Amino acid sequence: MEQSCGSSSRLRFLLAVLLFELVSAAAAAAITRDDFPEGFVFGAGSSAYQVEGAWAEDGKKPSIWDTYTHQGYAFDHATADVAADQYHKYKEDVRLMHEMGLDAYRFSISWSRLIPDGRGAVNPKGLEYYNNLIDELLKHGIQPHTTIYHFDLPQALQDEYNGLLSPRVIEDFTSFADVCFRSFGDRVKQWTTVNEPNIEPLGGYDMGYLPPRRCSSPFGFPGITCAEGNSTTEPYVVAHHLLLAHASMVSLYRRKYQAVQGGRIGITLLAWWYEPATTKPEDVAAAERMNDFTLGWFLHPLVYGDYPPVMKRNARSKLPALTAKESARVRGSFDFVGINQYGAIYVADDPSQLKRELRDYSADEATKYITQPFESSRHQSGLGLRNHDAPWALRKLLEPLQTKYANPPVVIYENGAGHEPDPSGGLLYDDEFRSHFLQVYIEAALQSIRNGSDVGGYFVWSFMDVFEYIFAYQFQFGLIGVDYGAEGRTRYARSSARWYAGFLHGGELRTVAPDGSRASS
């Protein structure tokens, strides 16, 4: 009798769980873009170096990424000399965006295309290209969301004064932004100053696997030997200069352009969510510390005018101090915050790192990664890359933005799923996994909005296949595929592009079959 009652209870429990899942699935399926607040923007993005190609055409001069790839340092010794060739094919791409139903397209301006030497004369052909792109977007009813700096510093400034390591770069950033605001601000109403300033200092100046390849022993990425650098101090100095450059650009825009042009300006941060590997208090504290070291590195001074206390405590004198004047300029220097979110990373406490006499940024974090970004749980050929959907990570990320950082307006500027290309060269048309990934994150964004988060936009990374900064052409995120084996870089729509188009044209987030399974396209 007891066994029968127990079985009956378990059955009722299982039926309740199944009913909950069916109801949840139906509710998710019923979501349409009309459920989002009025004015919410759906888009997709790319960046100049990653899609434009035409690396030395029409007066453009090298960026640090041109130099890096031409020296053979990129994955597979690849370059973005041609990439997706958007410089020559932008009209075709804008037509595809229009057919997809995008509200907006996020792109960046190549500094060394617009101002080839980093300062001084403006390149007329560069000016013409960006004017043409912006006008083409607007002609098709697509908002331009424009990033001023997306990693591609002019090589001329790197050669002249070591680029981001010098405070001189702040003035040159501001002059570059002035040209952008003056030339394009009558039509561009959404500006981002800098993309992911909380990651460039690490890859380029601590681990040394990205340009300009600076690091110092015993630090640096395994197998990387840097000719020069100081991993213990330079990441903090570079981030400090990027923060001040951002504040200077915002100050210029607000003082000289915003009232007339009516746009908004912000900054975009890489925002993995760090989750404790266990419920131990020390691991919970480690995860919070990691979120402070990555997102708080910039958000804390932007909201409060100073770096996070845990960073000041662990990095000590290596972390530059903000003067009273700098603090006042930095604090509040944003109209919105862009976040690039790809999932969660599990971490554990590692206090032994703080006992080391010589420490880099990673040691100052005093944590240990239990999982790695884009780590696959499967044994497979190739790189073994995969990003696991974790929509709860987006929801958890947005919670402290509400409670800890005064609930700033947020635009999700990057979110997407990658795949490794077929080694035989076959093209991937069916990417249901990507449609599913985007669906659960869009649903999570809506849940966060209903819980009070001020999220105003969602952009897929990426609109089309691009040269990925870390993986080159071996991990692709595009809604639109690019046949890199074809001379004309042929574009083709994947099933995720058709699904996104259906959603943007008023369709449901996803359909639910009678058995409760979810179809993506």
Side-chain angles (χ1 to χ4, degrees), residues 94-167:
V94 172
R95 177 179 58 79
L96 291 171
M97 295 174 205
H98 176 67
E99 291 172 356
M100 192 180 293
L102 296 188
D103 299 326
Y105 177 53
R106 175 183 179 240
F107 66 95
S108 71
I109 293 173
S110 166
W111 191 341
S112 58
R113 189 182 300 284
L114 190 62
I115 308 175
D117 293 315
R119 75 163 74 85
V122 174
N123 175 19
K125 286 290 187 178
L127 192 66
E128 179 184 12
Y129 170 69
Y130 291 111
N131 273 320
N132 287 343
L133 173 60
I134 292 165
D135 288 344
E136 192 72 14
L137 289 166
L138 292 172
K139 186 171 77 173
H140 286 82
I142 300 169
Q143 302 172 20
H145 282 230
T146 306
T147 300
I148 295 170
Y149 177 70
H150 198 123
F151 300 154
D152 49 350
L153 188 80
Q155 184 63 42
L157 301 185
Q158 184 66 33
D159 292 340
E160 182 181 350
Y161 54 67
N162 266 336
L164 301 178
L165 273 174
S166 170

Side-chain angles (χ1 to χ4, degrees), residues 417-436:
H419 72 273
E420 293 189 49
D422 184 344
S424 68
L427 304 181
L428 176 71
Y429 287 88
D430 183 7
D431 59 344
E432 189 277 337
F433 70 92
R434 180 172 289 117
S435 299
H436 171 76

Side-chain angles (χ1 to χ4, degrees), residues 256-337:
K256 190 174 177 182
Y257 295 102
Q258 192 167 39
V260 175
Q261 296 179 351
R264 300 198 309 161
I265 190 165
I267 192 169
T268 295
L269 304 172
L270 181 63
W272 290 97
W273 174 254
Y274 292 91
E275 183 75 2
T278 74
T279 57
K280 296 177 182 177
E282 56 267 33
D283 288 344
V284 173
E288 185 176 353
R289 186 165 62 247
M290 281 297 300
N291 287 313
D292 279 341
F293 258 80
T294 51
L295 199 61
W297 196 0
F298 282 79
L299 264 186
H300 206 276
L302 288 171
V303 174
Y304 299 111
D306 202 1
Y307 291 112
V310 69
M311 291 192 75
K312 295 171 70 174
R313 186 165 61 248
N314 287 14
R316 297 182 180 178
S317 62
K318 295 183 298 181
L319 184 66
L322 288 162
T323 67
K325 183 178 180 180
E326 290 169 343
S327 175
R329 175 171 278 196
V330 166
R331 187 170 54 250
S333 62
F334 62 95
D335 298 324
F336 67 90
V337 175

